Structure formats: C-alpha cells, structure tokens
Amino acid sequence: MQRKKPDIDRVFHALGDPSRRAILEKLSQGPISVSKLAEPLQITLAAVVQHLKVLEESGLVQTEKVGRVRTCRLEPAGLSVAAEWIGARRSMWERGLDRLGDLLAEPDEKWREKPPRP
Amino acid sequence: MQRKKPDIDRVFHALGDPSRRAILEKLSQGPISVSKLAEPLQITLAAVVQHLKVLEESGLVQTEKVGRVRTCRLEPAGLSVAAEWIGARRSMWERGLDRLGDLLAEPDEKWREKPPRP
DNA sequence: GAAATACTTAAGTTGACACTTGACAATCGC
DNA sequence: GCGATTGTCAAGTGTCAACTTAAGTATTTC
C-alpha cells in the first residue's frame, strides 16, 4: 500500500533493521557517543549517523551535541508506542480466540455486511 | 549492515508495513478468508497473498486451506516475540535511566575496555 | 462439463533503503 | 596555529521489497 508514515509506522520500520536494533541494545546500557556506538558495528560512521537519524525521527532515541561530541540516549516513550500497539492487538487476539469456535462454525458475514433486520 | 534474518528480524520487518498491520488488525477480529481480507484494502489480491506469505513466515499468522478457500488466523506466539524484545529493552532502559547521572558524570570506559587491576 | 470462484505463480517495474566514498566543518589538545 | 578527533553532508551504487498484470490451477455450482 505504501501510504504516508504516521508515528507507529516509523517506529516499527526503525525496529525492523538489525543494525538499528544493535544500536538500541547498546544504548540500553546507557548514553554513549556516536563513534563509540559505531565501533563494534561493522559499518561506517556515516552509516551509523544515518541510522541514528531514523531512530531519532521515530522517537526512539534522543541526541544532544556538546562540543564536537554527540551523545545519544534512549527515549523510553518511543518504545511504548510499539508496546501499546502490540498490547492492544494481543488482547483483541485473545478475546478473539475465545470466540474462535463460534466464528469457525458460523459463516463470516459477521463483520462485513449487516443483513436487514425485518 | 543487512545480515541474514533471525526470527525477531522477520517479525519486526513484517510489522513495519502498514498493509500488513492492517491485515493483522482485521485478523484480530477473527479468522477470515484471503479475499475477504483483501476487499477493504486498496491493493490486488496477489499483493495480499504476498503479504500473507511474509506474515506466515514471520510466525505472526497461520493459514489453512480447505477446498478452494484459505482461512487465515493470528498466531499469538508471533507477537510475543516482539513484545518480549521490547519488554527486555524497556527494563534495561529504565535501570539505565536510574544510573544516568553516574554515566554522564563518569568517562565512558565503563563497558568497552577494562583497565588492568594491579 | 462449462462457468464461476478463490486463490496461486511468474515476471516485470518502480521506488526505497542500507551502505560506501570522499570532501568538508567544528572543536579540542598542544 | 596545527594536527588530530568527531561528526556531517552529498552523491552514487546495488539490492530488496511492494505492487501490478497476466496467465494458470483447483474447487464448487449449475
């Protein structure tokens, strides 16, 4: 479909990349500079900076530059967006599973068209 | 970096697409056939089938074909993988935030190299 | 058994995205 | 000031992924 990106979209897209998740793991140990962040990864500093841009735009990471050093840290609120989406789906899920027998037994005109009630 | 894909990678990648999330939302209301699934989306049936393949390989969805109809349903375990990853990161996060003051005050040779202890 | 339904598969297009290289800018230590 | 450190920007490249169209395969219905 590829529509424009609301917040949730950015967050999940950001989480979808292994390098970015590696960055988040590192950051979960505490704030750190860009170059220290890049060191263990096998990509260039420039690439890390690009990932950081994505992470920052998605609200998962915050950065602040002091002198020539940019320090990065996690933004707890960012992950919450994802956690909440998943949580909501999961609960509907489980409610749905309770009714699973019903839904399988019945035909599925349940949530598409409502036949006229005479 | 773009390495090969472990499970968690597939799951987050799958969640990163709006069409696929739309499919999951629909499925969270109960099992449904492929064409019913495709109807409200503005993409072709073929595209939906491709999305379903991704969702199935990531473990988020299960499908079963009976006669000529393929019925799709959510796989609760799939989302758990994502939920757990997020949960783990969040808790480290929060522990990290407590120590934030320390980490900012100290230099950061904390988690990279351990100087020899005489 | 012919027509309709419900997918399935293959091939091709297009745009996004991860990465690189190389040049540049700001700041720190001396 | 000068050199080293630390990051930033702009192109450019190659790959992947989302879609489409079009043709094909089972199944069911009449």
Side-chain angles (χ1 to χ4, degrees):
Chain A
M1 209 186 278
Q2 220 63 338
R3 328 189 194 79
K4 65 162 182 280
K5 313 205 164 189
D7 239 18
I8 186 83
D9 213 302
R10 284 206 164 104
V11 171
F12 277 125
H13 171 245
L15 288 173
D17 183 89
S19 298
R20 285 193 289 263
R21 283 203 310 283
I23 288 175
L24 292 177
E25 304 235 15
K26 204 67 158 176
L27 286 180
S28 70
Q29 300 171 357
I32 190 176
S33 74
V34 175
S35 35
K36 284 276 161 64
L37 206 45
E39 227 171 51
L41 302 175
Q42 269 145 26
I43 51 177
T44 58
L45 222 203
V48 171
V49 169
Q50 287 169 22
H51 282 307
L52 278 172
K53 198 175 167 230
V54 172
L55 287 167
E56 204 168 0
E57 281 172 353
S58 73
L60 286 165
V61 164
Q62 255 196 341
T63 75
E64 187 196 6
K65 194 160 185 177
V66 172
R68 62 185 165 175
V69 174
R70 175 172 300 275
T71 300
C72 315
R73 74 183 44 133
L74 294 172
E75 174 65 44
L79 265 199
S80 299
V81 174
E84 276 157 24
W85 189 90
I86 291 178
R89 248 34 65 188
R90 279 221 286 186
S91 56
M92 285 187 73
W93 226 276
E94 271 135 33
R95 277 203 302 114
L97 284 177
D98 297 342
R99 298 188 305 138
L100 196 149
D102 304 21
L103 285 158
L104 283 178
E106 291 178 64
D108 53 359
E109 53 220 350
K110 186 130 234 168
W111 52 276
R112 277 224 56 251
E113 57 217 338
K114 192 173 291 208
R117 280 245 216 152
Chain B
M1 207 185 282
Q2 218 66 340
R3 329 187 194 81
K4 65 163 181 278
K5 315 206 162 186
D7 238 17
I8 186 85
D9 212 301
R10 286 206 163 105
V11 171
F12 276 126
H13 171 246
L15 289 173
D17 183 273
S19 298
R20 284 192 293 260
R21 284 205 309 284
I23 288 174
L24 292 177
E25 305 235 17
K26 203 68 156 174
L27 287 180
S28 69
Q29 299 170 358
I32 191 176
S33 74
V34 176
S35 36
K36 283 278 162 64
L37 206 45
E39 227 170 51
L41 302 175
Q42 269 144 26
I43 52 179
T44 58
L45 223 203
V48 171
V49 170
Q50 286 167 22
H51 281 308
L52 278 172
K53 197 174 166 230
V54 172
L55 287 167
E56 205 169 359
E57 282 172 353
S58 73
L60 286 165
V61 164
Q62 256 195 341
T63 75
E64 187 195 6
K65 194 159 185 177
V66 171
R68 61 187 166 176
V69 174
R70 177 173 298 277
T71 300
C72 315
R73 74 185 41 136
L74 293 174
E75 174 63 48
L79 266 199
S80 299
V81 173
E84 276 157 24
W85 189 91
I86 292 179
R89 249 31 66 187
R90 279 222 288 187
S91 56
M92 286 187 73
W93 225 279
E94 271 135 32
R95 278 202 303 113
L97 284 177
D98 297 341
R99 298 187 307 138
L100 196 150
D102 306 20
L103 286 158
L104 283 179
E106 291 179 63
D108 53 2
E109 52 221 348
K110 187 134 234 166
W111 53 277
R112 278 226 51 254
E113 56 218 337
K114 191 173 290 209
R117 280 246 212 150

